[in-house]
Amino acid sequence: MKLPLCLGIVVASMLFAFVPTVDAAVVRSGESVALAKESVVPGDFYVAGNNVHILGDVEGDIYVVGGAVTLQRMVKGDVVVLGGTVALNGPVGDDVRIMGGRVTVASAVVGDVVVVGGSLIVV
């Protein structure tokens, strides 16, 4: 009787050992929101703030609503921004969708770029 129980525990532990882990989304909001240079967000990043400065890397998608938005470093997924002034200065590994008053795109984008804005500067 003990052998089937032990065998069941071993099989169950082997099954759960190979379950993929999913990184939880990171959510930040406030008057001023910043992600430091040495920081890395392992999953998706949701941000809302008047002044948003992303100086670290984002390994998933990033969704931002802000007055002044600056993205300086690598975003491996999609970038979706609704902002007054938006500066995209870091590379993007997938698609970019921005709606803003003044938009600057000054870095490489692997996927599609869709911008709706009052003014657009592409460097």
Side-chain angles (χ1 to χ4, degrees):
M1 193 69 152
K2 289 183 181 182
L3 184 60
L5 178 62
C6 290
L7 185 59
I9 291 172
V10 169
V11 170
S13 64
M14 288 174 57
L15 289 174
F16 287 111
F18 297 106
V19 173
T21 59
V22 177
D23 294 320
V26 175
V27 179
R28 294 207 183 143
S29 65
E31 178 66 26
S32 183
V33 178
L35 181 66
K37 231 189 251 191
E38 58 279 349
S39 298
V40 175
V41 176
D44 293 343
F45 192 30
Y46 298 84
V47 185
N50 192 35
N51 295 305
V52 177
H53 299 283
I54 308 300
L55 306 174
D57 294 332
V58 178
E59 293 182 349
D61 300 334
I62 186 167
Y63 301 89
V64 182
V65 175
V69 178
T70 303
L71 298 159
Q72 288 293 123
R73 297 284 300 266
M74 175 65 155
V75 177
K76 291 185 179 177
D78 292 332
V79 172
V80 179
V81 180
L82 173 62
T85 303
V86 180
L88 180 61
N89 300 322
V92 178
D94 208 350
D95 300 328
V96 172
R97 294 169 191 90
I98 300 174
M99 179 181 268
R102 179 180 169 92
V103 178
T104 303
V105 178
S107 191
V109 176
V110 173
D112 298 330
V113 177
V114 177
V115 176
V116 177
S119 68
L120 172 62
I121 300 168
V122 178
V123 181

